């Protein structure tokens, strides 16, 4: 089945455990809403879709079978059974939104040339991103107001991006490591207390400012916790 309009598959209205049709190409959005339905796989997805959304999946473990080619946007939302991102198209360079898929602990399958990557949830910590590939433009990490985040050694996990958005509830230490993230030009801190206690100084030294000079300024201002690398 080919389609030129948005396709929304509501599995709650379907009696099977798989997609009702085998799709070819969808030139608009392709949305699978698994609410109240035990869908097991993505077999039958189109080979191409402009955008792809997978919502409320409990049993799908990976993304094998999803469209091999997606142009603009991929959203994975409330997929609590998802443990692996294997199956994401490696050539995708649009916007990726992974929201509340808290069983995912390996991000190595994320495509390497994304325009924007948003990771939102409460089940991870900063070390969950040890396999995160470089993000070309924007990386947004949001702990859903349930994450006390340390930035000590953060550059070892987040190695490259241009714009970093940190939605942690509270940053409890570090910050100097941000100067070691390749190509980083700007950081947004949701924790305004941290911004007022050293974050603004760190931001001033981006991009590629002198690390030791920044560290000394932080220490002189009394922000020793932010001065940790």
């Amino acid at each position: 089945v080919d389609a030129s309009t948005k396709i929304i598959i509501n599995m709650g209205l379907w009696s099977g455990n798989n997609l009702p049709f085998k799709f070819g190409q969808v030139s608009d959005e392709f949305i699978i809403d698994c609410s109240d339905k035990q869908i097991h796989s993505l077999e039958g997805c189109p080979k191409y879709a402009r955008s792809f959304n997978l919502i409320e999946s409990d049993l799908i473990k990976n993304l094998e079978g999803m469209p091999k080619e997606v142009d603009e946007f991929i959203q994975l939302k409330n997929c609590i059974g998802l443990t692996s991102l294997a199956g994401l198209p490696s050539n995708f360079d649009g916007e990726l939104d992974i929201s509340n898929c808290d069983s995912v602990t390996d991000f190595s399958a994320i495509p390497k040339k994304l325009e924007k990557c948003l990771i939102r949830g409460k089940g991870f910590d900063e070390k969950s991103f040890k396999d995160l590939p470089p993000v070309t433009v924007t990386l947004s990490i949001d702990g859903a107001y349930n994450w006390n985040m340390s930035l000590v050694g953060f550059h070892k996990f987040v190695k490259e991006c241009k714009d970093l958005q940190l939605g942690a509830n509270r940053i409890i230490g570090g910050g100097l490591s941000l100067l070691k993230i390749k190509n980083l030009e700007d950081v947004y801190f949701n924790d305004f207390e941290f911004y007022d206690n050293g974050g603004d100084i760190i931001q001033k030294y981006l991009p590629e400012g002198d690390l030791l000079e920044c560290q000394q300024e932080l220490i002189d201002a009394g922000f020793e916790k932010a001065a940790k690398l």
Side-chain angles (χ1 to χ4, degrees), residues 12-194:
L13 303 177
W14 179 248
S15 59
N17 289 327
N18 295 300
L19 295 180
F21 307 103
K22 185 174 182 179
F23 292 87
Q25 295 198 23
V26 175
S27 58
D28 208 307
E29 295 180 75
F30 187 77
I31 302 170
I32 305 174
D33 186 346
C34 303
S35 303
D36 303 318
K37 197 64 184 177
Q38 304 301 306
I39 180 173
H40 294 266
S41 80
L42 295 174
E43 183 179 355
C45 279
K47 296 178 181 179
Y48 165 82
R50 181 168 62 84
S51 298
F52 175 75
N53 301 65
L54 179 63
I55 304 170
E56 302 285 351
S57 170
D58 291 351
L59 295 181
I60 292 176
K61 302 296 184 184
N62 59 57
L63 299 172
E64 299 290 348
M66 72 165 285
K68 294 294 185 183
E69 186 178 353
V70 181
D71 280 346
E72 296 180 6
F73 181 72
I74 297 174
Q75 182 184 52
L76 311 170
K77 183 177 181 181
N78 299 336
C79 297
I80 62 174
L82 197 65
T83 59
S84 170
L85 299 178
L88 277 173
S90 59
N91 61 346
F92 178 64
D93 59 2
E95 182 174 341
L96 175 63
D97 182 345
I98 305 171
S99 296
N100 304 320
C101 302
D102 295 336
S103 296
V104 177
T105 57
D106 181 359
F107 294 91
S108 60
I110 287 179
K112 295 182 179 180
K113 295 185 178 181
L114 292 177
E115 178 181 342
K116 183 176 182 178
C117 181
L118 168 64
I119 302 173
R120 180 190 295 114
K122 59 184 179 181
F124 50 71
D125 60 25
E126 55 274 11
K127 294 182 180 179
S128 299
F129 306 110
K130 60 184 177 64
D131 297 315
L132 185 71
V135 175
T136 305
V137 183
T138 300
L139 173 64
S140 178
I141 299 174
D142 189 339
Y145 302 99
N146 193 37
W147 186 18
N148 290 330
M149 180 184 188
S150 172
L151 293 177
V152 174
F154 197 63
H155 63 288
K156 298 177 182 178
F157 312 117
V158 177
K159 300 178 179 65
E160 180 180 354
C161 67
K162 184 177 179 181
D163 176 31
L164 180 62
Q165 300 171 0
L166 296 174
N169 188 33
R170 182 168 175 260
I171 297 175
I172 58 176
L176 193 64
S177 61
L178 298 177
L179 295 183
K180 299 194 73 173
I181 296 177
K182 185 178 178 181
N183 296 328
L184 184 61
E185 295 182 0
D186 190 33
V187 180
Y188 169 78
F189 300 102
N190 190 59
D191 182 355
F192 296 111
E193 182 178 351
F194 178 81

